[in-house]
Amino acid sequence: MAFEDSLAKGVENTKISDAPVEAEQPQDQNAPNGASAAKKKKKNKKKKSTSTANAEEATNGTEDNTNEEGAEDDNDNEESTPAVGAEGASEGAAKKKKKKKNKKKSPKAQTEPPTVPVAKLFSNNVFPEGETHEYRDDNTWRTTSEEKRAAERLANDDYNDMRKAAEVHRQVRSYARKAIKPGMSMIEICETIENGTRALVEENGLQAGIGFPTGCSLNHCAAHYTPNAGDKTVLTYDDVMKIDFGVHVNGRIIDSAFTMHFNPKFDKLVEAAKEATYAGIKEAGIDVRLCDIGAAVHEVYDSYEIELDGKTYDIKPIRNLNGHTIDPYHIHAGKSVPIVRNSGDETKLEEGEQVAIETFCSTGRGYVIEDGECSHYAKAFDAPHVPIRVPRAKSLLASINKHFDTLPFCRRYLDRIGEEKYLLGLRNLVSSGIVTAYPPLCDTRGSYTAQLEHTILLRPTCKEILSKGDDY
Ligand SMILES: [Co+2]
C-alpha cells in the first residue's frame, strides 16, 4: 500500500461526497446480508467463502478448516493431492465425529482457485523463511553474532506470523497472476484475491485476515483505487494494473504489490519498477539512511525510457509516493522511504524494523494527486478521543473498531459486514479526524504508472525479504 507524502495530503476528503446516493448503492450480492449475517459471522468465522465463484469450495474445501489440525496431523498419511471438492463427502455438523476418524486427505497442494489454508500445507505451523541477505560494511559482524541470534529466537513467533502472511500472499498472487485476464471486472479481480486471502489465512476477526483493501489501480492511477459496489470497470488488454494487497496474522502485515499488463509494449515500464525496487531492497539495511535508499532507486529509473506508440518517454519515479515502515496493525508506521534522490531525509533504518520497500514509476510528470471517488479508509492510529454526537457515526465507528481496528478497509468491506447507508457517518468520522480517507492517487491522464513492492524485515543477523516468491 502506498505511502503518500504528507505535504500533499489534506485530512478532510471532500471526494466522499461524490459517492453514489446511499439508497442506490447496489447490494453486493455475494456478501452476507445485514447485521444478522455479521453476527453469525462472529460466531462462526471462516466457515464461509463469500464469493459465488468460490461457493462450490465453500461447501467442500473450506468447510472443514476448523479445529482439526491435530486430528489431521496424526492420522493422515495419504500423499494424494486433493482435487477441488475432494472433501465434499464430509459435510455437515452431524458427521463431524465420523469425519475426524475417516478423514484421509491431508492436502499437500493448493487448489485452483486457492482454498486450502496454508496451516494445512505446513502442518507443524512453521512457515518458510523469505530470502535472506547478509548485512554489509560495518554490520557484517551481525551474521555470526551469538547475541543477535539469541535476539532472533525471542522474536521467532512474530517472524513466523509474518512468514505465514507472506506464504498466503505468494499463493494467492500465484493464482491471481494466472487467473486475471482482460474482460474481468475490477470487482471480480478483487474478489479473486480477497476470497483467496480469507481462505488461506483462515480469516478470524482481528487475529488474521486481509491487511488492507486490494489495490487494482489502472494506468495513470498509481495507488489506492479499489472498486466500490456498482463499479462496472472492466480490465482491458491495454491496461497497466497495480495489484497491491495485504495479508496479516496477529496484526503482522505483509504488504506486497506487482504490476500486471498484457500488451508487451509496457514491458520496460514494469521492468523499471522491478529493478528500482530491488535496488532499494539491496540498499536497505540497519543504520542505512532513508535518503540513500531514495538515491539508489532514482538512479535505476534514470536509466530507463520507454517508447509507446512512436513516442519516447522518460520513466520517472513518482516523487510523492514512498515506502514505509510497518508496525503491528499499523501499515504506515513512523518512517517513509523516499524513491527519489535529494530527499534530505537522513533518518536511519533500525534493527527489527519491518519495511515495505515500494517504488512507483510513471510516463507522466512523476507526481500524483488525489483524483476520483474514494474507496480506502482507515481509523487513524492516533485517533482523537472526541465525543461523537451523530448516532450513525457512532455505530459505524463501533463496527470499524470491531472488524478493522486500525487496519485500512474499503467500502466493499463495510458492505459485506452488513453496514448500510454509512456514507454520511463515514464522512462525519473523517471530518472528526478519527478516520482518514485515502482517495485514489493519480498522475496525469494518459500516462502510465507501474509499481513493485516487497515487505522486508531487518532482522538482527540478516535482512529477510519476507514476501519474496519465485515470481518476484
Ligand atoms: Co505499501
Side-chain angles (χ1 to χ4, degrees), residues 130-131 166 170 173 278 454-455 465-472:
E131 184 179 283
R170 278 188 288 273
R173 79 192 191 222
Y278 275 102
H454 269 307
T455 295
I465 309 175
L466 290 162
S467 49
K468 186 83 168 71
D470 54 17
D471 50 352
Y472 69 88

Side-chain angles (χ1 to χ4, degrees), residues 238-250:
D238 285 317
D239 283 333
V240 179
M241 175 172 63
K242 282 66 63 182
I243 292 288
D244 190 348
F245 72 101
V247 184
H248 87 92
V249 173
N250 291 317

Side-chain angles (χ1 to χ4, degrees), residues 209-340:
I210 287 173
F212 53 82
T214 308
C216 51
S217 306
L218 295 172
N219 306 325
H220 71 293
C221 286
H224 296 173
Y225 164 76
T226 199
N228 290 329
D231 188 327
K232 299 282 196 292
T233 309
V234 169
L235 185 68
T236 76
Y237 174 77
D238 285 317
D239 283 333
V240 179
M241 175 172 63
K242 282 66 63 182
I243 292 288
D244 190 348
F245 72 101
V247 184
H248 87 92
V249 173
N250 291 317
R252 304 289 171 166
I253 307 164
I254 291 297
D255 180 357
S256 180
F258 55 94
T259 301
M260 290 189 80
H261 68 294
F262 305 93
N263 188 331
K265 74 180 181 179
F266 296 116
D267 285 355
K268 274 285 163 206
L269 187 73
V270 174
E271 180 192 318
K274 182 172 180 180
E275 290 303 312
T277 294
Y278 275 102
I281 291 169
K282 192 174 175 196
E283 186 70 22
I286 294 170
D287 305 326
V288 171
R289 301 185 309 176
L290 296 170
C291 57
D292 293 335
I293 299 173
V297 168
H298 203 153
E299 187 160 316
V300 171
Y301 281 130
D302 277 344
S303 66
Y304 276 93
E305 56 181 31
I306 186 170
E307 194 187 309
L308 290 174
D309 307 320
K311 198 178 165 209
T312 302
Y313 300 84
D314 286 336
I315 294 179
K316 303 170 191 160
I318 299 179
R319 67 181 188 271
N320 58 336
L321 291 176
N322 302 80
H324 49 95
T325 52
I326 301 173
D327 282 345
Y329 297 100
H330 196 187
I331 186 68
H332 292 158
K335 297 175 187 173
S336 62
V337 184
I339 61 172
V340 288

Side-chain angles (χ1 to χ4, degrees), residues 182-235:
M184 284 173 78
S185 73
M186 305 315 288
I187 289 181
E188 286 174 317
I189 288 167
C190 290
E191 288 181 346
T192 297
I193 291 167
E194 290 158 5
N195 292 335
T197 298
R198 293 184 203 280
L200 270 53
V201 80
E202 296 177 273
E203 181 177 43
N204 178 14
L206 290 171
Q207 287 164 24
I210 287 173
F212 53 82
T214 308
C216 51
S217 306
L218 295 172
N219 306 325
H220 71 293
C221 286
H224 296 173
Y225 164 76
T226 199
N228 290 329
D231 188 327
K232 299 282 196 292
T233 309
V234 169
L235 185 68

Side-chain angles (χ1 to χ4, degrees), residues 422-441:
Y422 50 73
L423 287 177
L424 283 177
L426 193 51
R427 179 157 53 185
N428 185 282
L429 294 175
V430 170
S431 59
S432 320
I434 294 166
V435 166
T436 308
Y438 297 93
L441 297 170

Side-chain angles (χ1 to χ4, degrees), residues 52-180:
T52 44
N54 271 0
E56 220 181 1
E57 287 76 35
T59 51
N60 301 323
T62 54
E63 187 78 350
D64 28 9
N65 292 345
T66 37
N67 306 324
E68 292 187 272
E69 277 81 1
E72 292 214 330
D73 294 346
D74 290 339
N75 61 10
D76 293 346
N77 301 316
E78 268 194 32
E79 293 299 321
S80 68
T81 302
V84 173
E87 300 171 26
S90 52
E91 209 178 318
K95 294 180 185 168
K96 264 217 159 155
K97 256 191 183 165
K98 193 178 157 198
K99 191 169 68 180
K100 275 195 183 179
K101 266 187 223 147
N102 294 351
K103 199 151 172 265
K104 294 288 194 288
K105 305 287 188 235
S106 176
K108 294 289 188 283
Q110 190 50 265
T111 56
E112 292 192 354
T115 57
V116 181
V118 292
K120 296 205 170 183
L121 303 175
F122 297 85
S123 55
N124 55 0
N125 263 298
V126 175
F127 295 94
E129 189 179 51
E131 184 179 283
T132 58
H133 296 265
E134 291 184 4
Y135 290 120
R136 293 168 306 184
D137 308 323
D138 290 347
N139 274 319
T140 52
W141 62 274
R142 289 175 169 275
T143 309
T144 52
S145 163
E146 261 314 313
E147 187 198 332
K148 294 303 174 192
R149 286 185 192 185
E152 291 191 346
R153 283 193 290 274
L154 289 175
N156 206 46
D157 287 351
D158 294 335
Y159 297 172
N160 198 49
D161 285 346
M162 296 173 193
R163 290 170 188 155
K164 181 177 181 179
E167 184 60 28
V168 171
H169 199 286
R170 278 188 288 273
Q171 294 196 16
V172 169
R173 79 192 191 222
S174 165
Y175 175 71
R177 289 161 81 85
K178 279 183 277 182
I180 295 172

